Amino acid sequence: MKIKRSVVIILSCTMLLSGCSLINRNKVSINLPDNAQSYTSIYDEDTGDITIKTNGKTYSYFGTIGDTMPATSVRDCLGYLDGDKNTRICTLTEDPFDNYIMVKNVNGIMEQPQFFRAMDTRNRDIFTPSYIEPLGFECWGSSAVHYEMAAASVALHIMTEGVKDVGYEVLINGESTFSGGVGYASGKVIKRGELFIIEITEFECGETIKKGEAFNVEIHFSVTDANDEVHEAEGIYYRDMMLGAYCNGLELRQDDQSGYYIRNI
């Protein structure tokens, strides 16, 4: 019981201190929906669990972030927690069965979102987005995770100066599928030589791809410079890929004639 109570103390502190820089780094805005609902967290004296009920499920605190979240990982904001409109509850793009929800405070000083897991998945082996780090709480026992839903990844190297943000639009098999952007949370100019990873997951692709089969990827880029002016980058990324594939040969460069352009190496 002492272990479980310590979990509650940690959760309470991290929620109060959690902030928005992670979300800003990934260019994700957690906007409250119209007529947003306030959800209530419940502390179970007997088990030591903190639970949240939403979407017909009961969720219990499971883990924190172990890596940078992709820019498109926040699917929907469901509402806010315990009357605090800055502490928001979200579903995850990579988790179509809503086995997890994310709780994030958007007005704090830290950058640690918290992840809750549906209690009906206890003692089950379920897919878990790779950025969720299980904290090994006693209440989850032998509940397992796996990461079989591999993304196709494209590495983008920034090989020029004066760039604040690189936006992109991804087309799969000729169909516009999703968009995003990469840059620093601070809004500062990106260092020359910086590497960013663009991930393409099966959920973002939807019905445009079939498991085990190759699909065509086309990515168009735009650049926001140090003066906040937006420029279309010449050239595109165009290649057949499969889920789990990794491409490490894309550069953003600039010259006096062409301006910003994409180079495949």
Side-chain angles (χ1 to χ4, degrees):
M1 184 61 68
K2 289 183 179 179
I3 294 176
K4 292 178 180 176
R5 289 182 184 276
S6 67
V7 169
V8 175
I9 293 172
I10 292 171
L11 175 62
S12 301
C13 293
T14 51
M15 279 190 176
L16 289 172
L17 294 175
S18 61
C20 61
S21 58
L22 170 83
I23 299 303
N24 288 343
R25 179 168 68 242
N26 290 288
K27 304 301 177 185
V28 175
S29 176
I30 303 178
N31 295 319
L32 287 173
D34 294 337
N35 301 317
Q37 180 178 349
S38 178
Y39 296 88
T40 302
S41 62
I42 300 171
Y43 173 56
D44 189 319
E45 289 281 353
D46 295 325
T47 65
D49 294 345
I50 290 180
T51 60
I52 300 170
K53 291 184 178 181
T54 181
N55 286 338
K57 297 183 179 182
T58 300
Y59 294 83
S60 177
Y61 187 40
F62 179 77
T64 186
I65 192 164
D67 199 355
T68 301
M69 292 173 64
T72 52
S73 286
V74 174
R75 188 172 81 230
D76 293 304
C77 179
L78 302 177
Y80 52 96
L81 188 64
D82 295 331
D84 179 4
K85 291 188 176 181
N86 289 319
T87 302
R88 300 176 186 177
I89 301 175
C90 305
T91 57
L92 304 171
T93 302
E94 298 89 346
D95 178 30
F97 305 110
D98 291 334
N99 288 322
Y100 294 94
I101 55 174
M102 181 184 79
V103 175
K104 174 73 178 176
N105 188 289
V106 298
N107 195 33
I109 58 174
M110 299 288 285
E111 53 178 60
Q112 292 296 320
Q114 308 298 321
F115 298 97
F116 286 64
R117 176 168 167 166
M119 294 178 68
D120 62 6
T121 67
R122 282 182 175 174
N123 302 318
R124 286 174 49 197
D125 176 22
I126 64 169
F127 170 74
T128 299
S130 59
Y131 49 79
I132 296 179
E133 180 180 345
L135 293 178
F137 296 145
E138 180 184 346
C139 60
W140 286 105
S142 60
S143 300
V145 300
H146 67 269
Y147 307 98
E148 292 179 357
M149 300 178 185
S153 301
V154 178
L156 174 65
H157 302 258
I158 309 300
M159 302 303 295
T160 185
E161 308 287 348
V163 173
K164 275 189 176 181
D165 177 82
V166 180
Y168 56 83
E169 179 185 7
V170 179
L171 287 74
I172 304 297
N173 294 333
E175 181 179 332
S176 180
T177 305
F178 67 96
S179 59
V182 295
Y184 294 155
S186 63
K188 292 182 179 179
V189 169
I190 300 171
K191 294 179 181 178
R192 180 184 176 92
E194 190 72 271
L195 171 67
F196 294 97
I197 304 297
I198 300 170
E199 288 193 331
I200 302 166
T201 71
E202 65 175 286
F203 299 115
E204 289 164 331
C205 297
E207 297 180 355
T208 58
I209 67 169
K210 294 181 179 179
K211 283 187 177 181
E213 295 185 8
F215 52 90
N216 180 260
V217 178
E218 182 178 334
I219 308 178
H220 298 254
F221 296 89
S222 62
V223 176
T224 301
D225 65 20
N227 297 316
D228 293 322
E229 295 181 358
V230 179
H231 311 263
E232 294 299 320
E234 293 291 331
I236 61 174
Y237 174 82
Y238 189 87
R239 184 171 298 183
D240 287 338
M241 300 186 75
M242 295 183 69
L243 291 174
Y246 180 84
C247 175
N248 188 28
L250 204 60
E251 294 182 347
L252 175 70
R253 291 183 174 271
Q254 182 183 20
D255 64 28
D256 294 336
Q257 288 74 38
S258 302
Y260 295 103
Y261 65 95
I262 294 295
R263 180 186 178 210
N264 288 272
I265 58 173

